[in-house]
Each structure stands twice: as C-alpha cells, then as structure tokens.
C-alpha cells in the first residue's frame, strides 16, 4: 500500500528518508554485523551514535555550553514531576494554564510544591493564550512553567514571559525543532520525542547546569537530573534505538531542511496555506484566536458533528489519516509537524476544497 499522509498529533510521521536509512541499516549498522537495537549501549559504535546525536542537537538548537542535554525515558509526562522534584527550593512555582498538558504539569507539581496559577484560558476551551500580568509573577518562585505549543488546542506562545531571575521551564514536546529558539532564555526545556524528534520512548531534557544537583536526598535516583547529567545519560540503559533515529532526524534537518531556519520557513509555508484556506472557506473554520495560532497543530470544525464525522471518514479513505480532533475540542485537527511534506498539506487542502464543493 502507498504511504498515507498521517496527521496524527503523536506519534507522528517521520521523514521517509530517515525510515529508509534505518531500514538499510537494520541488519548491519555500519559494518558492525548488528542492528543498533542489539548493540551494547557501552559499545564504541553506540557511543558515537549518542554522542553524535547530542552534538547535532547542540549545533542545531545552538545550545550554550552551560546547558546539559539529557536523553531520558518516561515521556514529557514524567517531567511534570521531575521538574518540581529537582527545582524545588523555596517550594513555590508559577504556572500558565493553556491546555490539558499545562494543567497536568500544574496538578503534578502540586504534589511537591505550592503551584500558583498566573493565568488560565480554560474559560474559552483554551482557544487563546491568556495575557500575562507580570504583577502576578512570584519573584521568589523556584520556576515558571509554560507549555510552549498546546498540541490539543492548537495555540502557541508567540512571546515569552519575562520572568527575570526565575527559571522559565517549557514543555516543547510538540514544537521543539520546528523553528529556532533562544535556549538561553530557558532554565529547562523538555520534550517527548514522538512529535518532532523521533520515535516514542525518548524524552529530551535541556537544562541549565546550575539547576542540577539541588534535589533533596529523598528524590529517587532515576528522578534526579544529576544522576543522568553525571553519567552522560548512561546511568542505566538509555532508549538506544530512539536516540539513533533522533540522530538520523537531526541529520535530515541539517542536510535536507536547512536547519531550524529552513524548517521554520517550511513550517510557516505549510501552516500559512492551511490557515489561508480555513479563513476563506465557507464550510471549515479554525477554532482558536488568530494571534495565537500554532504552526504545528491546527484544529478546525464545520460546525456540524455529522459532517465532521463524514469528513474524517472520507479523508481517511483518501489517504489522509488521523484527522479526528481531540475529544475535548471535537471536529478535526491536522498536526503538521516537521516531517509532514508540503505536498501532504497541499493535497489535504485540495481534498477539503472538493469536500466543501460537494457538502457546502
Ligand atoms: C504529547 C505531549 C505530552 C505528553 O507526552 P508523553 O511523552 O506522552 O508523556 C506532554 N506535553 C505536550 C505539549 C505534548 O504534546
């Protein structure tokens, strides 16, 4: 069967060139006579893979030398607990509630510290990014948490809050590597890999060094950033194969996409075409405030649930899969991460126009 265009929110598409390369190397990686999956994580070959992955991530994102890159497991969801367990000092942190993931980060942190809500957009189903009043920021907070791109609702921060000395912590699961970011503005960046970096099973944490080593004695070894920082993410077995695929994705990004600035241009082109169509359509409508629109996740509706269902079904039959929206928003959602080719977006828009012609 031909490959489909997969608009899933995650796990999501990987670049076809990466899958082909992985297939070529499946049985014999670089003349080692083994698959990367079978290799000792302590072997010389594997050392080059994980070291190469980190070096590429550092050069791609411009990660300063005073930041550590950690390759962990447990998903972004584990970071909701690891961040407070490691950054807790005074026992207070600030949160902006912009969606379900932000809410989960907040409720998990509440188990460990006093988690203050600075702003909240739940009143309109998280369809916008709330205005932040710096007066409400706690200057003594241990950290300030945002979810940079809200995967479910399709909003994103376009400007970062100025938190002064308070470390800014960002969940970037669904937007990491989609455009350049100034890493030095953050104390911690974390992301589950399965949207823009590689397969599920790998979680990347980028953390400023002074935020490591402050966890108290009671924090389990595996949940302490210091354990992983001191052991180059090799305290225990890292998700070896996922890291290898992440390295291939980073090579693709560098060699085929022109790095993060090239990636950003392509992502803006894809999202721009999609939003332009939504704004001109008489049938389909975007669900979020225009100023806060995401580059990666685009929810939309027809306003008629039966018609939404028909659309999702017919789109799937035509090779555009996983367009059903999250149950809390309804309708449809097109996740157009880095690996979604421009052509996939163009063809989906053509399909939508035809659907509109027949059903509008
Ligand atoms: C997908 C996602 C998560 C959850 O990630 P897991 O790796 O499944 O724990 C958290 N935050 C955001 C923004 C996400 O998109």
């Amino acid at each position: 069967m031909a490959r489909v265009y997969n608009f899933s929110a995650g796990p999501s598409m990987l670049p076809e060139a990466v899958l082909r390369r992985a297939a070529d190397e499946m049985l014999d990686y670089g003349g080692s006579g083994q698959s990367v999956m079978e290799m000792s994580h302590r072997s010389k070959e594997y050392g080059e893979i994980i070291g190469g992955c980190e070096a590429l991530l550092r050069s791609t994102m411009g990660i300063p030398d005073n930041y550590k890159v950690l390759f962990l497991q447990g998903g972004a969801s584990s970071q909701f607990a690891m961040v407070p367990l490691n950054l807790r000092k005074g026992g207070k942190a600030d949160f902006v509630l912009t969606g379900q993931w932000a809410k989960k980060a907040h409720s998990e942190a509440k188990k460990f510290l006093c988690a203050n809500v600075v702003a909240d957009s739940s009143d309109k189903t998280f369809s916008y990014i709330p205005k932040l009043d710096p007066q409400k920021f706690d200057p003594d907070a241990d950290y300030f948490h945002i979810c940079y791109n809200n995967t479910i609702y399709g909003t994103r921060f376009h400007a970062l809050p100025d938190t002064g000395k308070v470390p800014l912590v960002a969940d970037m699961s669904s937007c990491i590597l989609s455009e350049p970011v100034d890493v030095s503005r953050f104390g911690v960046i974390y992301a589950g890999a399965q949207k823009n970096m590689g397969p599920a099973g790998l979680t990347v944490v980028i953390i400023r060094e002074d935020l490591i080593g402050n966890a108290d004695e009671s924090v389990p070894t595996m949940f302490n950033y210091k354990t992983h920082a001191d052991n180059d993410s090799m305290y225990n077995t890292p998700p070896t194969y996922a890291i290898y695929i992440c390295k291939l994705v980073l090579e693709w990004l560098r060699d085929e996409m022109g790095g993060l600035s090239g990636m950003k241009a392509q992502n803006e082109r894809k999202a721009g075409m999609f939003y332009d169509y939504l704004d001109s359509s008489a049938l389909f409508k975007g669900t979020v405030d225009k100023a806060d629109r995401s580059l990666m996740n685009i929810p939309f509706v027809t306003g008629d649930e039966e018609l939404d269902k028909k659309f999702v079904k017919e789109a799937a039959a035509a090779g555009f899969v996983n367009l059903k929206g999250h149950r809390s928003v309804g309708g449809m959602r097109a996740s157009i991460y880095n690996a979604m080719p421009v052509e996939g977006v163009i063809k989906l828009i053509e399909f939508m126009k035809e659907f509109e012609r027949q059903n509008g």
Side-chain angles (χ1 to χ4, degrees):
M1 160 177 199
R3 278 177 58 78
V4 294
Y5 291 110
N6 179 7
F7 293 88
S8 167
S12 44
M13 287 184 87
L14 283 163
E16 195 169 310
V18 165
L19 296 175
R20 288 189 189 285
R21 170 96 184 264
D24 286 346
E25 295 179 340
M26 180 58 76
L27 295 182
D28 176 13
Y29 174 80
S32 67
Q34 313 164 49
S35 166
V36 173
M37 262 185 263
E38 304 168 300
M39 243 174 224
S40 163
H41 59 297
R42 313 265 177 214
S43 64
K44 181 169 163 291
E45 284 97 341
Y46 194 74
E48 282 164 13
I49 293 172
I50 191 169
C53 185
E54 176 176 343
L56 268 168
L57 186 64
R58 283 186 175 277
S59 59
T60 302
M61 291 184 70
I63 300 174
D65 289 344
N66 62 325
Y67 283 72
K68 291 278 190 209
V69 173
L70 309 177
F71 296 114
L72 308 180
Q73 304 190 52
S77 302
S78 294
Q79 294 310 309
F80 300 162
M82 269 180 94
V83 169
L85 281 171
N86 285 270
L87 270 57
R88 178 175 59 183
K89 276 188 189 157
K92 298 185 289 180
D94 282 347
F95 290 80
V96 184
L97 304 190
T98 51
Q100 286 201 12
W101 297 118
K103 268 173 68 184
K104 283 190 174 163
H106 173 254
S107 19
E108 193 69 4
K110 267 201 291 197
K111 297 184 176 183
F112 308 109
L113 41 70
C114 173
N116 171 43
V117 176
V118 168
D120 175 352
S121 55
S122 60
D123 60 331
K124 292 185 184 157
T125 329
F126 300 114
S127 58
Y128 68 105
I129 298 287
K131 290 276 165 293
L132 302 183
D133 174 6
Q135 301 281 340
K136 292 196 180 157
F137 298 9
D138 182 346
D140 299 320
D142 295 332
Y143 65 96
F144 187 110
H145 184 277
I146 61 168
C147 182
Y148 204 103
N149 180 76
N150 296 282
T151 324
I152 295 175
Y153 301 93
T155 62
R156 62 163 294 183
F157 282 82
H158 282 273
L160 291 175
D162 181 358
T163 59
K165 285 205 187 67
V166 175
L168 182 61
V169 175
D171 178 352
M172 289 202 197
S173 295
S174 54
C175 59
I176 194 163
L177 300 180
S178 65
E179 61 179 0
V181 288
D182 178 359
V183 175
S184 71
R185 298 267 328 252
F186 300 88
V188 182
I189 291 171
Y190 63 87
Q194 66 273 21
K195 281 111 187 197
N196 252 348
M197 307 189 92
L202 167 64
T203 309
V204 172
V205 174
I206 301 164
I207 178 168
R208 217 174 59 213
E209 277 169 356
D210 61 288
L211 299 172
I212 300 173
N214 309 314
D216 74 46
E217 287 281 301
S218 66
V219 171
T221 310
M222 280 294 288
F223 296 167
N224 193 330
Y225 290 136
K226 189 168 182 348
T227 305
H228 303 287
D230 287 350
N231 292 282
D232 296 325
S233 303
M234 292 271 196
Y235 172 76
N236 73 325
T237 318
T240 52
Y241 198 76
I243 292 168
Y244 155 72
I245 298 289
C246 180
K247 176 170 178 275
L248 298 185
V249 168
L250 288 163
E251 286 171 0
W252 167 83
L253 225 156
R254 179 194 60 195
D255 301 338
E256 308 295 326
M257 293 294 119
L260 291 188
S261 54
M263 199 68 250
K264 178 183 189 192
Q266 176 164 312
N267 286 329
E268 283 177 341
R269 182 165 166 233
K270 288 187 293 183
M273 287 190 295
F274 206 96
Y275 287 124
D276 283 349
Y277 169 59
L278 288 181
D279 291 343
S280 69
S281 168
L283 181 65
F284 298 106
K285 279 172 280 305
T287 60
V288 307
D289 283 8
K290 285 187 187 176
D292 300 324
R293 283 169 161 178
S294 165
L295 270 184
M296 299 277 100
N297 311 96
I298 309 184
F300 56 99
V301 296
T302 64
D304 172 343
E305 273 181 42
E306 287 311 309
L307 204 52
D308 288 350
K309 271 191 202 145
K310 181 168 186 248
F311 174 78
V312 170
K313 195 168 160 216
E314 291 183 10
F320 307 101
V321 305
N322 289 318
L323 278 164
K324 189 172 185 303
H326 190 270
R327 59 192 177 281
S328 62
V329 181
M332 284 71 71
R333 171 178 49 172
S335 293
I336 50 171
Y337 296 117
N338 286 356
M340 171 61 64
V342 176
E343 175 198 63
V345 175
I346 293 175
K347 288 189 174 161
L348 175 61
I349 295 169
E350 281 167 13
F351 178 83
M352 289 167 75
K353 284 184 177 163
E354 181 55 24
F355 186 89
E356 177 167 359
R357 209 179 52 77
Q358 289 178 16
N359 298 272

